[in-house]
Amino acid sequence: MSSPQILPILHYPDPRLHKVAKPVDLAAGVPKHIQALIANMLTTMYDAQGIGLAATQVDVHERLIVIDVSEERNAPIVLINPNVTWASAEKQKGDEGCLSVPGIYDGVERSTSVKVSAADEHGQVREISADGLLAVCMQHEMDHLMGKVFVEYLSPLKRTRIKSKMAKLEREESSSRK
Ligand code: NI
């Protein structure tokens, strides 16, 4: 297999971020293209110093997420076809950021604990109980698979400001590439 690649990450408000991902077909095990995608997404996430990445963000619309919330950056979690099986009624508001919305951090309310059922990189289905940062990250990444970006929880005014900031950033980046 060729060595893992860094994939381009879509930036908000790219309309492709709003596509709904379809389930990965695991009937014959984890497909080859998904195995390669897992390696590439992990490489991309670590390179960008993110704690999570959904396939949607690299323009692949299948239900796959990679996460690593460890300090040491050595505890990758792969979630294929994740589903929330339980979410706590207790919620908490905390600041979130996103590799698709660089430089923007704002408060989003999420369940403090969740249980998520998903297949791992070997196609083995298991249930993960999460709280704290992992619970927030899982909910944020699963939103991506539904075509939802965290800024959609913010007020229309904030969203408009974020869109103009992103447009400015794109302009700066495209002029620095010339
Ligand atoms: Ni994100």
Side-chain angles (χ1 to χ4, degrees), residues 64-78:
L64 169 64
I65 289 168
V66 297
I67 289 176
D68 190 342
V69 293
S70 70
E71 274 311 306
E72 302 78 16
R73 316 291 291 146
N74 61 1
I77 299 172
V78 174

Side-chain angles (χ1 to χ4, degrees), residues 78-153:
V78 174
L79 302 173
I80 305 173
N81 297 342
N83 282 304
V84 174
T85 54
W86 176 82
S88 65
E90 191 195 342
K91 294 189 176 191
Q92 201 175 5
K93 195 170 184 175
D95 270 2
E96 294 185 17
C98 180
L99 294 176
S100 291
V101 201
I104 305 292
Y105 300 88
D106 213 324
V108 177
E109 192 178 74
R110 304 275 189 191
S111 288
T112 54
S113 321
V114 289
K115 285 184 183 165
V116 172
S117 157
D120 66 12
E121 60 273 40
H122 310 293
Q124 209 72 41
V125 177
R126 79 280 199 225
E127 191 172 59
I128 299 173
S129 296
D131 53 22
L133 184 57
L134 181 58
V136 170
C137 188
M138 281 182 170
Q139 292 171 82
H140 174 118
E141 300 309 331
M142 289 176 71
D143 272 355
H144 276 301
L145 299 179
M146 294 307 295
K148 188 160 187 174
V149 181
F150 85 100
V151 299
E152 289 168 69
Y153 290 105

Side-chain angles (χ1 to χ4, degrees), residues 3-23:
S3 58
Q5 290 174 7
I6 295 169
L7 305 170
I9 298 173
L10 299 178
H11 284 168
Y12 183 80
D14 192 308
R16 292 171 288 180
L17 286 170
H18 303 304
K19 286 192 186 178
V20 176
K22 61 178 177 26

